[in-house]
């Protein structure tokens, strides 16, 4: 699901900026405030480690069945860096939208990113919510949509 992570990370950051919009409009330095620190702690301390765990545990599913295993930690490090860079650029973009176009633009951009995330996941549910193994996916084995909800992937990615 690395393909969808930019939308999810940006939406989370934009939502945090939208929630703190009244105080964030008053600060001079957008990088030196408690909202930025909180967002960075949330992404680097909670989201990235959880995402790395899912990538390490289910590399086939997380890469949309492009890779069978992840033996090199470089991919995990690059995924971590990508999430943090998206969070930083999403924070900057959300602050830019908030200061120049108002709070509605931040909320709308967040909702667009969430919408893209859920639409793509819904349109390509056959690969994003596939419950089989890498070999079964490559061989074209059909699985029911509901079988995904009984897998450890569902618990690892959506519940944790």
């Amino acid at each position: 699901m690395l393909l969808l992570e930019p939308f999810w990370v940006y939406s989370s950051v934009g939502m945090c900026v939208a929630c703190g919009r009244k105080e964030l409009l008053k600060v001079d330095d957008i990088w030196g405030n408690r909202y930025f620190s909180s967002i960075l702690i949330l992404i680097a301390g909670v989201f990235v480690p959880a995402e790395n765990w899912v990538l390490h545990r289910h590399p086939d599913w997380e890469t949309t069945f492009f890779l069978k295993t992840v033996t090199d930690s470089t991919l995990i490090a690059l995924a971590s860096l990508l999430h943090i860079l998206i969070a930083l650029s999403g924070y900057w973009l959300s602050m830019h939208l908030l200061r120049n176009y108002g709070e509605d633009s931040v909320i709308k951009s967040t909702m667009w990113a969430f919408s893209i995330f859920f639409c793509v996941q819904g349109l390509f549910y056959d690969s994003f919510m596939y419950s089989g193994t890498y070999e079964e996916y490559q061989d074209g084995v059909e699985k029911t949509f509901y079988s995904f909800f009984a897998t450890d992937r569902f618990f690892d990615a959506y519940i944790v």
Side-chain angles (χ1 to χ4, degrees), residues 13-127:
V13 170
M15 189 172 46
C16 291
V17 169
C19 289
R21 64 189 175 275
K22 290 183 181 179
E23 286 185 37
L24 284 171
L25 283 172
K26 297 175 188 174
V27 298
D28 294 328
D29 182 19
I30 65 169
W31 303 109
N33 59 63
R34 66 186 178 125
Y35 288 97
F36 174 69
S37 301
S38 300
I39 288 170
L40 200 57
I41 289 170
L42 173 72
I43 297 297
V46 177
F47 185 76
V48 168
E51 192 60 37
N52 288 346
W53 183 65
V54 173
L55 177 59
H56 180 70
R57 192 168 147 101
H58 309 288
D60 53 349
W61 176 70
E62 192 66 17
T63 60
T64 320
F65 298 96
F66 183 69
L67 298 174
K68 182 177 181 178
T69 59
V70 176
T71 56
D72 188 12
S73 60
T74 306
L75 180 64
I76 295 175
L78 288 175
S80 301
L81 181 63
L82 176 70
H83 289 103
I84 292 171
L85 289 175
I86 291 169
L88 292 174
S89 59
Y91 177 76
W92 177 85
L93 178 62
S94 296
M95 287 299 295
H96 174 75
L97 291 172
L98 179 66
R99 289 184 172 198
N100 295 327
Y101 301 102
E103 63 188 63
D104 285 345
S105 63
V106 176
I107 294 169
K108 287 177 184 175
S109 69
T110 301
M111 294 311 298
W112 271 107
F114 268 128
S115 299
I116 291 169
F117 174 81
F118 288 115
C119 286
V120 169
Q121 191 168 11
L123 288 172
F124 300 104
Y125 73 91
D126 54 341
S127 60

Side-chain angles (χ1 to χ4, degrees), residues 126-147:
D126 54 341
S127 60
F128 289 126
M129 301 184 85
Y130 187 73
S131 61
T133 64
Y134 177 83
E135 289 82 11
E136 291 174 336
Y137 183 81
Q138 298 301 328
D139 292 339
V141 176
E142 298 274 333
K143 297 283 187 171
T144 65
F145 174 74
Y146 300 108
S147 64

